[in-house]
Amino acid sequence: MKSYAPFKQLVYERYGLDLEGLAEPRLVRAVDALLDATGSRDPAALARLLGRDAALLDDFISQLTINETYFYREPEALVWLAERYLPERLARGAGPLRILSAGCSSGEEPYSLGMALLERFGARAPTLFRITGGDVDHRVLAKARRGIYAGMAFRALPGALKARYFTPRGRQFAIDDALRDWVHFRALNVLEPSGDGEDGGPFDLILFRNVSIYFDEQKRIAIQKRLLERLAPEGILVCGVSETLGNDLGVLELTQREGVFHFRRPTRQSIAPRPAPAPAPPSPPAPLPKAERAATPPPPAMPAAAPESFAQRVQDAQAYLNDNRFDEAEALLATLLDEQPWSVDARLLAGLVARWQQRAEQAQEHFKRALYVAPECWPAHFYQAELARAGELTGAPGQPTRGYEAVLRLLEASPRATGGLTIIASPIPPGDARFLAKRHLVTGARTREADDGL
């Protein structure tokens, strides 16, 4: 039996990534592929080889990272930076200002900020700002440098900006050459010391958004110390909305302006990192909420439609969704649900289409119906929890916790569970959903503890 512990330890020590939630199936696939490629049958020896071979380790890390991102994610922070904070810094005589997107993945975040700055400053923007994107995954950095995107990368980008900064290239879109040439990408391990020169800072703005959920508290403290080394004296660090409290660890000082929370250098000597709390014993998972079956008629008998024809059209709807062709996906799914109202696959896709069209209540209704038919549909639990956690759905304070706990309960019992889907695979892999559910539960618990302490 293979031991994955040496690989987990190596990745944790070098990069800070906690792979417990990814052990099945992502880590397993990566280790097995490496064993086959090298012909080795000794996992411990192979882990030692990884520690010595930087190129081999780079390829290995590329198979482990989750790169879920898209353009104009959390746009309120982007607008505040482009319209208020950065112009004020320039007005005080600073410039050009240096900006770092740490954990930039395939480039959507630094390019989004670049678009926001071009909208605000026009053609002068590249002379006023230097934008760097950094990530440990060299494969996504190569994609960022190419600047070619498709599908769900555009789900939150306003149509006018997409038309202005992208050119169709078949079924994909190429980013404007001037924008692509402006943003510089480099390999970056946030646990390593900062270097000298332009790429090493100091930076007037560091974006570390939707990244820290992949690190435990001990590593987040170490990362913040490294980011502090890269931060200019008056610079700020901006985290994702749901990560802010989880990063208030005493290394940096939390502040807020106009509703946007961010971190800056400590202004008093008394600030010191708090000790990491002892891990709490795991609480038993909450049972799945009971479906209100009394209010919903029993599922009708399935019509005798040709299975191949129906399945192919469901796959076509998923292709439309992936290509960001929401209207076509919605029209096709409406027809499919008229034929088979209790198709779990079609319901899940319809919920995702509604979500990306910013119709949260309609999305929730589709996810609920999918769960009525298949209570084991962990993707529906996951996306319903995401609606509430992201603030897209109001009046459901306990929904994220219940949903993520359901995801964990189902996937820990069966790591490769299909979730009741018979035609399509889940849009989010089970290992990723399990990992993110764990992280969001930890973040939510800390937020509640902080609120109780107020």
Side-chain angles (χ1 to χ4, degrees):
M1 182 177 179
K2 301 184 187 73
S3 171
Y4 299 101
F7 301 96
K8 293 180 183 179
Q9 186 65 24
L10 173 65
V11 173
Y12 181 75
E13 290 176 354
R14 292 282 185 92
Y15 300 98
L17 296 174
D18 180 358
L19 297 182
E20 286 301 324
L22 297 176
E24 294 285 348
R26 188 179 294 268
L27 178 64
V28 173
R29 288 200 302 266
V31 172
D32 288 350
L34 194 58
L35 287 167
D36 290 341
T38 60
S40 173
R41 288 295 175 263
D42 185 346
L46 188 55
R48 290 193 294 271
L49 174 62
L50 275 178
R52 298 190 302 269
D53 190 326
L56 196 63
L57 184 57
D58 279 345
D59 288 333
F60 186 71
I61 289 296
S62 293
Q63 300 177 61
L64 300 177
T65 54
I66 299 175
N67 298 296
E68 162 59 20
T69 185
Y70 47 91
F71 291 106
Y72 263 61
R73 190 174 188 175
E74 298 179 8
E76 296 80 4
L78 294 176
V79 171
W80 178 77
L81 290 168
E83 298 290 335
R84 300 301 297 270
Y85 173 73
L86 293 172
E88 290 174 1
R89 290 293 309 277
L90 289 174
R92 294 200 296 269
L97 298 179
R98 290 178 173 176
I99 299 169
L100 172 65
S101 172
C104 70
S105 187
S106 45
E108 285 88 337
E109 178 173 85
Y111 283 139
S112 293
L113 184 57
M115 283 184 261
L117 293 173
L118 285 168
E119 292 297 299
R120 172 62 175 79
F121 295 95
R124 295 185 302 136
T127 66
L128 299 173
F129 305 96
R130 298 175 182 174
I131 305 176
T132 299
D135 202 281
V136 297
D137 188 339
H138 70 285
R139 293 183 184 178
V140 296
L141 288 175
K143 177 180 178 181
R145 294 185 184 104
R146 288 193 299 270
I148 299 175
Y149 300 91
M152 300 302 284
F154 298 103
R155 58 184 180 255
L157 184 67
L161 294 182
K162 183 178 180 183
R164 188 145 53 241
Y165 294 105
F166 291 87
T167 302
R169 184 175 294 183
R171 299 182 69 176
Q172 298 179 311
F173 293 83
I175 203 162
D176 179 77
D177 285 344
L179 179 55
R180 179 172 56 83
D181 294 341
W182 175 24
V183 180
H184 173 68
F185 293 96
R186 58 163 293 196
L188 174 67
N189 182 347
V190 289
L191 278 173
E192 293 180 348
S194 61
D196 297 326
E198 181 178 350
D199 287 341
F203 294 99
D204 301 277
L205 167 64
I206 298 178
L207 299 171
F208 192 59
R209 303 195 307 162
N210 305 296
V211 178
S212 62
I213 59 172
Y214 305 119
F215 304 97
D216 61 22
E217 185 168 308
Q218 178 183 351
K219 289 299 182 183
R220 287 202 303 276
I221 291 173
I223 288 168
Q224 284 198 11
K225 290 178 179 178
R226 292 304 189 192
L227 293 178
L228 181 57
E229 295 174 2
R230 295 178 166 93
L231 199 62
E234 295 185 29
I236 64 171
L237 169 73
V238 178
C239 296
V241 171
S242 64
E243 301 172 287
T244 298
L245 287 176
N247 280 284
D248 188 13
L249 302 169
V251 179
L252 295 161
E253 183 176 334
L254 177 62
T255 186
Q256 73 91 19
R257 279 187 55 201
E258 297 159 344
V260 177
F261 285 87
H262 52 278
F263 293 90
R264 63 186 180 189
R265 287 181 172 275
T267 56
R268 54 188 187 277
Q269 295 297 320
S270 59
I271 296 179
R274 67 186 183 191
S283 57
L288 288 173
K290 292 183 179 179
E292 298 180 359
R293 298 175 182 267
T296 308
M302 301 293 282
E308 295 81 3
S309 173
F310 185 87
Q312 182 59 58
R313 285 180 291 154
V314 169
Q315 292 167 1
D316 291 342
Q318 185 178 37
Y320 290 148
L321 173 62
N322 291 339
D323 285 342
N324 213 25
R325 296 157 66 182
F326 296 132
D327 291 342
E328 293 168 85
E330 184 176 33
L332 179 52
L333 287 165
T335 300
L336 293 170
L337 289 171
D338 281 343
E339 294 179 16
Q340 296 190 20
W342 303 101
S343 167
V344 178
D345 302 76
R347 282 291 172 195
L348 183 71
L349 291 176
L352 291 174
V353 170
R355 183 188 180 191
W356 301 132
Q357 291 182 313
Q358 300 181 344
R359 299 200 300 261
E361 292 184 359
Q362 184 180 355
Q364 183 192 36
E365 183 61 28
H366 284 302
F367 295 143
K368 279 185 174 180
R369 286 177 179 265
L371 290 169
Y372 176 75
V373 181
E376 73 278 12
C377 186
W378 58 262
H381 284 295
F382 180 85
Y383 289 119
Q384 189 168 242
E386 288 285 280
L387 284 173
R389 182 189 63 83
E392 300 170 53
L393 195 65
T394 58
Q399 181 59 52
T401 298
R402 292 195 299 271
Y404 293 134
E405 286 180 344
V407 171
L408 290 182
R409 183 168 68 84
L410 290 165
L411 289 179
E412 286 176 353
S414 180
R416 292 185 175 85
T418 65
L421 300 173
T422 59
I423 300 173
I424 63 171
S426 171
I428 180 171
D432 294 1
R434 183 180 172 192
F435 177 77
L436 292 172
K438 281 185 177 181
R439 290 302 188 202
H440 291 321
L441 284 171
V442 170
T443 301
R446 288 177 179 155
T447 300
R448 289 191 298 274
E449 289 174 3
D451 290 342
D452 292 342
L454 294 178

